[in-house]
Amino acid sequence: MLTKPFEIPGKQLKAAGLNLNNQIHYQLSPDELVDDALMNHQGRLNDTGALVISTGRFTGRSPRDKFVVKDAVTAATIDWGNFNNPIEEFYFDRILEDVRNYLNSRKELWVRDAYACAAPEYRLNIRVVNELPWMNLFAHHLFLRPSEEELEHFEPDWHILSAPSLELDPVRCGTRQGNTTVVSFKHKMILIAGSAYTGEIKKGVFSILNYLLPQTRGVLSMHCAANKGKKGDTALFFGLSGTGKTTLSTDPDRKLIGDDEHGWDDNGVFNFEGGCYAKCIGLSAEKEPEIYRAVRKGALVENVSFFPGTNRINFDDASVTENTRVAYPIDFVENSVPEGTGGIPRNLFFLTCDAYGVLPPIARLSREQALYYFISGYTAKVAGTETGVTEPKATFSACFGAPFLPLHPARYATMLGDRIAQHGVKVWMVNTGWTGGAYGTGSRMKLADSRAMIRAALNGSLDNVIYHKDPVFGLMIPGTCPGVDPNVLNPSQTWQHPEAYDAQAQNLAAQFIKNFESYETIVAAAVTAAGPKR
């Protein structure tokens, strides 16, 4: 917490194109930012003192509207296509002009200096300029916070200019529609217009680090959570949204390093961030006590609703979005690692929410299987989460984070494979999805069972049990696990009709095989062979 006011970095802001004719609120405390949001009628407090806001039209990221400037810096290095949409530099100049003019026209702006990367040698200084105070609160929570001494000599490496109320002219600016997020590695800027979804700020910086660290510093950047045990052993949890990454890494028996973004160098892992951005749909004190307790004074809660006539949040209500979120500093988690670092990981967990109900609740992977399933990045959406989705739908997101990867997925996979081999890391797949049938027929894996299986993997209880090989996916499934009904461990035995299981397993296997076809020519034959069989 800062104890003295700091001089607004006027010359630096002018260099970024801001005229300083408006009132600049620099480096305000969370309490001051909450007060500003309430005074501007931009949110309300819930019964525990958290600020509850609406992000408006956008309640999630818009990958099709995220662009990277294609220039001499990026032309030959970015993996163009899919999520890496190119935009010409002259369009960036127009967007920058429009964003600057818009911000300069505001009566007030909120400016924050922060940084990414807990390891000092990789630190990236960031200056965030916000139109809205609660978005500046988000930046306070999610990025790392400089000390008073560091602020006195702060020089930004990158600028983020956020103008959520600005609608761009798509024809003039070369965008798909009026909203966009644009990254320029030449200008070292992220421009955000037309969207108030805070995740655009967070994931913009993540994309930068995913480009810079592997290429220039030899650091593997990862979309994963990390924690460490009482003996200092580090574990990583990879997974897409909704697979339990934050929930399972926030463990009362282990210290949380971070819940979403990390780097891995020769010394170990380090958090990119200074806070957590947890999904809170269905949140309860019984299932996720640490996250539930973090919804308190200072926290920022997005797109939830209240029980009628109260200021008590109804966490089960998805009428606004399934993607309800809460942002808070990592020290809101009592059992966290203040320095944000850990040693070389001993265990990696690939989390998947398999709505087809055919993947085992836990399985041990070989190095080749680890690379196959890492590149595949599988989870499944369930009926009802998107318009037109009436049955389980497979989602493959390379390296469990394709929208944030500027380089080819093989680059990250090669680095991970080298580290697995060098350090003898154990790799596990954990299905947090369905068992006994697909979504609509079976039931969701019990959180208590998932925790018990991960605990057993971490403490070595699964090292000497008997395993059997799944005939379709080739995964090694333990026959027993402390605290878990043995019948749950083998998915084929949980289905009432074996022939229905076989058909569903073949269906999912075929989707894996088709998705991996584009990678077969760039990975070793042994990696392709480690995938499912039909």
Side-chain angles (χ1 to χ4, degrees):
M1 181 67 67
L2 301 179
T3 59
K4 63 179 179 180
F6 281 85
E7 181 181 349
I8 295 170
K11 290 183 180 180
Q12 293 178 346
L13 288 173
K14 286 183 179 179
L18 301 179
N19 59 28
L20 303 185
N21 292 331
N22 35 28
Q23 183 177 1
I24 302 293
H25 302 283
Y26 177 63
Q27 216 71 8
L28 295 192
S29 69
D31 286 347
E32 291 170 317
L33 292 169
V34 170
D35 287 344
D36 283 356
L38 294 174
M39 185 170 58
N40 292 331
H41 307 289
Q42 295 168 355
R44 58 184 287 197
L45 300 180
N46 82 321
D47 60 337
T48 64
L51 178 64
V52 178
I53 56 89
S54 167
T55 62
R57 174 187 171 195
F58 292 97
T59 59
R61 291 177 298 99
S62 184
R64 294 177 63 192
D65 298 305
K66 178 185 174 185
F67 297 90
V68 179
V69 178
K70 190 172 185 178
D71 53 26
V73 178
T74 60
T77 51
I78 296 286
D79 181 34
W80 300 109
N82 295 321
F83 297 102
N84 293 315
N85 306 306
I87 193 168
E88 297 301 322
E89 191 170 355
F90 70 87
Y91 281 129
F92 174 84
D93 292 337
R94 291 179 180 179
I95 297 170
L96 177 59
E97 179 183 15
D98 289 355
V99 169
R100 281 173 169 167
N101 289 339
Y102 178 82
L103 291 176
N104 284 330
S105 72
R106 301 299 90 190
K107 292 181 179 180
E108 298 177 281
L109 292 177
W110 286 263
V111 178
R112 176 159 305 279
D113 287 337
Y115 66 97
C117 297
E121 59 267 41
Y122 308 116
R123 175 171 169 164
L124 187 78
N125 284 350
I126 303 161
R127 175 160 293 152
V128 187
V129 180
N130 294 112
E131 173 189 358
L132 301 172
W134 54 264
M135 296 188 78
N136 203 251
L137 178 66
F138 178 86
H140 171 276
H141 292 348
L142 267 295
F143 297 131
L144 289 152
R145 296 162 284 279
S147 66
E148 292 184 356
E149 182 180 359
E150 290 169 332
L151 280 172
E152 291 175 352
H153 307 285
F154 192 93
E155 295 283 344
D157 300 312
W158 278 73
H159 282 81
I160 302 175
L161 306 184
S162 172
S165 299
L166 170 64
E167 285 288 318
L168 299 173
D169 178 350
V171 175
R172 165 180 156 77
C173 296
T175 57
R176 191 176 69 95
Q177 49 187 23
N179 66 290
T180 193
T181 297
V182 184
V183 177
S184 172
F185 285 93
K186 176 181 177 180
H187 296 82
K188 295 185 177 181
M189 278 189 169
I190 300 173
L191 307 179
I192 302 171
S195 174
Y197 181 64
T198 54
E200 297 285 7
I201 295 174
K202 162 187 163 69
K203 291 305 185 185
V205 173
F206 186 38
S207 298
I208 291 170
L209 294 172
N210 284 334
Y211 180 80
L212 296 175
L213 290 179
Q215 290 193 107
T216 64
R217 307 301 297 274
V219 173
L220 171 60
S221 54
M222 306 171 293
H223 185 214
C224 70
N227 65 22
K228 63 181 179 181
K230 296 177 181 178
K231 297 181 179 180
D233 59 297
T234 299
L236 303 182
F237 299 79
F238 293 83
L240 301 173
S241 178
T243 59
K245 182 158 45 67
T246 298
T247 298
L248 292 170
S249 62
T250 308
D251 185 329
D253 295 326
R254 296 175 64 84
K255 289 186 177 294
L256 181 67
I257 299 171
D259 81 328
D260 197 46
E261 302 169 5
H262 292 82
W264 183 352
D265 67 3
D266 292 339
N267 298 314
V269 302
F270 58 94
N271 196 355
F272 288 168
E273 302 183 294
C276 301
Y277 192 40
K279 289 194 75 169
C280 54
I281 190 71
L283 183 64
S284 70
E286 295 73 28
K287 291 183 179 179
E288 300 167 277
E290 294 82 8
I291 299 173
Y292 188 85
R293 288 195 295 267
V295 183
R296 56 183 173 90
K297 182 181 179 181
L300 178 68
V301 186
E302 299 177 356
N303 302 316
V304 298
S305 60
F306 297 96
F307 287 104
T310 77
N311 64 343
R312 188 161 60 91
I313 296 172
N314 181 358
F315 288 111
D316 294 322
D317 186 355
S319 59
V320 177
T321 178
E322 289 272 350
N323 191 37
T324 54
R325 295 273 182 173
V326 56
Y328 48 89
I330 197 166
D331 60 16
F332 273 32
V333 178
E334 182 178 348
N335 207 22
S336 59
V337 180
E339 63 272 20
T341 60
I344 300 295
R346 297 183 188 177
N347 290 274
L348 310 184
F349 296 92
F350 295 163
L351 307 179
T352 178
C353 178
D354 177 29
Y356 293 90
V358 295
L359 291 180
I362 190 165
R364 178 80 178 268
L365 277 60
S366 67
R367 176 181 175 276
E368 289 73 24
Q369 287 175 324
L371 294 182
Y372 183 95
Y373 287 102
F374 179 66
I375 292 173
S376 297
Y378 165 73
T379 193
K381 296 175 182 176
V382 299
T385 58
E386 288 187 3
T387 301
V389 179
T390 58
E391 59 183 26
K393 182 181 179 181
T395 298
F396 296 97
S397 184
C399 309
F400 297 100
F404 326 120
L405 303 182
L407 308 178
H408 194 280
R411 182 73 171 267
Y412 307 96
T414 298
M415 296 179 76
L416 181 67
D418 291 344
R419 283 159 172 75
I420 291 172
Q422 179 182 356
H423 302 291
V425 183
K426 299 174 187 176
V427 185
W428 311 84
M429 177 185 287
V430 174
N431 174 19
T432 60
W434 271 257
T435 183
Y439 173 81
T441 302
S443 58
R444 189 76 188 259
M445 294 282 183
K446 294 179 181 179
L447 179 57
D449 283 347
S450 295
R451 289 195 186 279
M453 288 181 279
I454 289 173
R455 190 178 305 117
L458 290 169
N459 66 26
S461 296
L462 298 183
D463 289 351
N464 298 310
V465 301
I466 296 174
Y467 285 76
H468 68 273
K469 188 175 183 179
D470 181 281
V472 177
F473 297 96
L475 303 169
M476 300 303 295
I477 304 173
T480 58
C481 177
V484 180
D485 182 349
N487 294 321
V488 173
L489 297 173
N490 189 342
S492 64
Q493 295 178 359
T494 65
W495 285 54
Q496 185 176 357
H497 302 291
E499 65 280 5
Y501 168 84
D502 292 339
Q504 197 71 289
Q506 288 295 329
N507 174 25
L508 181 56
Q511 294 184 69
F512 265 102
I513 293 168
K514 182 172 180 57
N515 173 72
F516 207 79
E517 287 176 353
S518 60
Y519 301 105
E520 289 180 354
T521 59
I522 57 175
V523 301
V527 174
T528 302
K533 304 293 187 297
R534 295 196 66 192

